[in-house]
Short mmCIF file of all heavy atoms in Angstrom, two decimals:
data_model
loop_
_atom_site.label_atom_id
_atom_site.label_comp_id
_atom_site.label_asym_id
_atom_site.label_seq_id
_atom_site.Cartn_x
_atom_site.Cartn_y
_atom_site.Cartn_z
N SER A 176 -1.81 56.92 68.54
CA SER A 176 -1.26 57.00 69.90
C SER A 176 0.12 56.35 69.95
O SER A 176 1.07 56.92 70.50
CB SER A 176 -2.20 56.31 70.89
OG SER A 176 -1.60 56.20 72.16
N LEU A 177 0.24 55.16 69.39
CA LEU A 177 1.53 54.46 69.40
C LEU A 177 2.57 55.20 68.55
O LEU A 177 3.75 55.24 68.91
CB LEU A 177 1.35 53.03 68.88
CG LEU A 177 0.98 51.99 69.93
CD1 LEU A 177 0.54 50.69 69.26
CD2 LEU A 177 2.15 51.73 70.87
N THR A 178 2.14 55.80 67.46
CA THR A 178 3.08 56.54 66.60
C THR A 178 3.63 57.76 67.34
O THR A 178 4.85 58.02 67.33
CB THR A 178 2.38 56.98 65.31
OG1 THR A 178 1.89 55.84 64.61
CG2 THR A 178 3.34 57.75 64.41
N LEU A 179 2.75 58.51 68.00
CA LEU A 179 3.21 59.68 68.77
C LEU A 179 4.08 59.26 69.95
O LEU A 179 5.05 59.94 70.29
CB LEU A 179 2.01 60.48 69.26
CG LEU A 179 1.26 61.27 68.20
CD1 LEU A 179 -0.03 61.87 68.77
CD2 LEU A 179 2.14 62.38 67.62
N LEU A 180 3.73 58.11 70.57
CA LEU A 180 4.56 57.61 71.66
C LEU A 180 5.95 57.23 71.15
O LEU A 180 6.96 57.45 71.83
CB LEU A 180 3.89 56.41 72.32
CG LEU A 180 4.53 55.89 73.61
CD1 LEU A 180 4.59 56.98 74.68
CD2 LEU A 180 3.76 54.67 74.14
N ALA A 181 6.01 56.67 69.94
CA ALA A 181 7.31 56.33 69.34
C ALA A 181 8.13 57.59 69.08
O ALA A 181 9.35 57.62 69.29
CB ALA A 181 7.10 55.56 68.04
N LEU A 182 7.46 58.67 68.62
CA LEU A 182 8.16 59.94 68.42
C LEU A 182 8.65 60.51 69.75
O LEU A 182 9.75 61.08 69.83
CB LEU A 182 7.24 60.94 67.73
CG LEU A 182 6.89 60.63 66.27
CD1 LEU A 182 5.81 61.58 65.76
CD2 LEU A 182 8.13 60.73 65.39
N CYS A 183 7.83 60.37 70.79
CA CYS A 183 8.23 60.81 72.13
C CYS A 183 9.47 60.05 72.58
O CYS A 183 10.44 60.65 73.07
CB CYS A 183 7.07 60.58 73.11
SG CYS A 183 7.51 60.76 74.85
N ASP A 184 9.46 58.73 72.41
CA ASP A 184 10.60 57.91 72.84
C ASP A 184 11.85 58.20 72.01
O ASP A 184 12.97 58.17 72.52
CB ASP A 184 10.25 56.43 72.75
CG ASP A 184 9.17 56.03 73.74
OD1 ASP A 184 9.09 56.67 74.81
OD2 ASP A 184 8.41 55.09 73.46
N SER A 185 11.65 58.50 70.71
CA SER A 185 12.79 58.89 69.87
C SER A 185 13.40 60.20 70.36
O SER A 185 14.63 60.36 70.34
CB SER A 185 12.33 59.04 68.41
OG SER A 185 11.82 57.82 67.91
N SER A 186 12.54 61.12 70.82
CA SER A 186 13.04 62.38 71.38
C SER A 186 13.83 62.14 72.66
O SER A 186 14.85 62.81 72.90
CB SER A 186 11.86 63.32 71.66
OG SER A 186 11.13 63.61 70.49
N ILE A 187 13.37 61.19 73.47
CA ILE A 187 14.10 60.85 74.70
C ILE A 187 15.48 60.31 74.35
O ILE A 187 16.50 60.68 74.96
CB ILE A 187 13.31 59.81 75.52
CG1 ILE A 187 12.03 60.44 76.08
CG2 ILE A 187 14.17 59.27 76.67
CD1 ILE A 187 11.12 59.46 76.78
N LEU A 188 15.54 59.44 73.34
CA LEU A 188 16.82 58.86 72.92
C LEU A 188 17.75 59.94 72.38
O LEU A 188 18.94 59.99 72.74
CB LEU A 188 16.58 57.79 71.86
CG LEU A 188 17.83 57.11 71.30
CD1 LEU A 188 18.60 56.39 72.41
CD2 LEU A 188 17.46 56.13 70.18
N LEU A 189 17.22 60.82 71.53
CA LEU A 189 18.04 61.90 70.98
C LEU A 189 18.52 62.85 72.07
O LEU A 189 19.66 63.33 72.04
CB LEU A 189 17.25 62.67 69.91
CG LEU A 189 16.97 61.94 68.61
CD1 LEU A 189 16.05 62.75 67.73
CD2 LEU A 189 18.28 61.62 67.88
N ASN A 190 17.64 63.13 73.04
CA ASN A 190 18.03 64.00 74.14
C ASN A 190 19.12 63.36 75.00
O ASN A 190 20.01 64.05 75.52
CB ASN A 190 16.80 64.30 75.00
CG ASN A 190 17.08 65.35 76.07
OD1 ASN A 190 17.50 66.46 75.77
ND2 ASN A 190 16.86 65.00 77.32
N PHE A 191 19.06 62.03 75.13
CA PHE A 191 20.10 61.31 75.87
C PHE A 191 21.45 61.40 75.16
O PHE A 191 22.50 61.51 75.80
CB PHE A 191 19.69 59.84 76.03
CG PHE A 191 20.70 59.00 76.74
CD1 PHE A 191 20.85 59.06 78.12
CD2 PHE A 191 21.52 58.13 76.02
CE1 PHE A 191 21.79 58.28 78.77
CE2 PHE A 191 22.46 57.34 76.67
CZ PHE A 191 22.60 57.42 78.04
N ILE A 192 21.41 61.40 73.82
CA ILE A 192 22.65 61.44 73.04
C ILE A 192 23.23 62.85 72.96
O ILE A 192 24.42 63.07 73.18
CB ILE A 192 22.41 60.88 71.62
CG1 ILE A 192 22.00 59.41 71.70
CG2 ILE A 192 23.66 61.05 70.75
CD1 ILE A 192 21.57 58.82 70.36
N TRP A 193 22.35 63.84 72.66
CA TRP A 193 22.82 65.20 72.42
C TRP A 193 22.50 66.17 73.55
O TRP A 193 23.12 67.23 73.66
CB TRP A 193 22.24 65.74 71.11
CG TRP A 193 22.92 65.18 69.92
CD1 TRP A 193 24.22 65.31 69.57
CD2 TRP A 193 22.31 64.38 68.90
NE1 TRP A 193 24.48 64.65 68.40
CE2 TRP A 193 23.33 64.07 67.95
CE3 TRP A 193 21.03 63.90 68.67
CZ2 TRP A 193 23.07 63.30 66.82
CZ3 TRP A 193 20.79 63.14 67.54
CH2 TRP A 193 21.80 62.85 66.63
#
Side-chain angles (χ1 to χ4, degrees):
S176 172
L177 272 168
T178 301
L179 287 172
L180 188 58
L182 291 172
C183 168
D184 294 330
S185 299
S186 300
I187 292 174
L188 179 61
L189 290 173
N190 188 57
F191 178 77
I192 296 173
W193 284 298

